[in-house]
Amino acid sequence: SLGSIAVEGVFDIPKDPSLAAEFETGTKVYVDEDGVVVSDEVGNKYLGKVVADAAASDSFVRVRLSQ
């Protein structure tokens, strides 16, 4: 069946709370080969910018997707 995919907008992207990563508003974020949101651009794909602070214990980070 046909579906749709969003390429713009703001989304809650799951993150691994066991990594204790914190993200501040405005930070560029990337996704690694395992699908984990990271702030390190080396070897990772650009995802977008954080639009709301995410604490280490949060299970998601709110990101505005960028193309």
Side-chain angles (χ1 to χ4, degrees):
S1 73
L2 296 177
S4 62
I5 184 167
V7 294
E8 63 181 23
V10 176
F11 296 89
D12 292 339
I13 309 295
K15 70 180 194 76
D16 187 346
S18 70
L19 298 177
E22 295 180 350
F23 297 95
E24 293 182 2
T25 301
T27 302
K28 288 182 178 180
V29 289
Y30 305 82
V31 62
D32 69 13
E33 63 186 24
D34 296 322
V36 176
V37 176
V38 296
S39 58
D40 180 18
E41 68 179 299
V42 177
N44 299 312
K45 304 285 185 192
Y46 182 62
L47 188 61
K49 287 187 179 180
V50 176
V51 297
D53 292 350
S57 60
D58 290 343
S59 58
F60 69 89
V61 59
R62 188 160 289 161
V63 177
R64 177 177 305 281
L65 299 183
S66 297
Q67 295 182 17

